[in-house]
Amino acid sequence: MSDLPKCPQCSSEYTYQDRDMYICPECAHEWSQSGADENTDDEVVIKDSNGNVLNDGDSVVVIKDLKVKGSSSVVKVGTKVKNIRLVDGDHDIDCKIDGIGAMKLKSEFVKKV
């Protein structure tokens, strides 16, 4: 009988220990032995380039010229983007930009207005 804890995400009993971390082989979740997991409630905090917390519906300003992949257009510095939506993934902001259309942005290239 193993005295290792079950996985907090998928409740798998096949967890194993690697140094000071527990790892679940079924869902690949990792957590510390002390039980202090930063994302226990699955609440991801997305911050802008200045460290301000972003929320759905916020307005942001682009802080760097961004090339649009697959196009010759560019999103210029100072472009204001209204009513953003936060999503999971590498590009964590989903929005519509006037003149360009729907696109995804990284939060590190915007600042909250």
Side-chain angles (χ1 to χ4, degrees), residues 4-99:
L4 295 174
K6 291 185 177 183
C7 176
Q9 277 195 332
C10 69
S11 300
S12 171
E13 54 190 45
Y14 301 111
T15 58
Y16 63 92
Q17 185 175 357
D18 185 21
R19 296 186 187 178
D20 61 341
M21 300 290 286
Y22 291 124
I23 302 171
C24 176
E26 293 184 7
C27 70
H29 179 66
E30 298 179 5
W31 69 100
S32 66
Q33 290 181 7
S34 65
D37 189 11
E38 305 88 41
N39 295 327
T40 53
D41 57 354
D42 291 337
E43 185 65 31
V44 177
V45 177
I46 298 175
K47 297 182 179 182
D48 69 356
S49 61
N50 295 333
N52 298 322
V53 177
L54 296 173
N55 297 309
D56 286 342
D58 284 345
S59 294
V60 295
V61 174
V62 177
I63 62 166
K64 177 183 176 184
D65 282 346
L66 302 173
K67 295 180 183 177
V68 179
K69 189 173 183 178
S71 172
S72 62
S73 58
V74 175
V75 179
K76 296 282 187 181
V77 172
T79 302
K80 188 172 183 180
V81 181
K82 298 178 184 177
N83 198 19
I84 64 169
R85 190 178 68 197
L86 303 177
V87 294
D88 291 334
D90 187 30
H91 292 73
D92 43 16
I93 297 175
D94 198 13
C95 62
K96 285 186 180 177
I97 298 178
D98 294 336

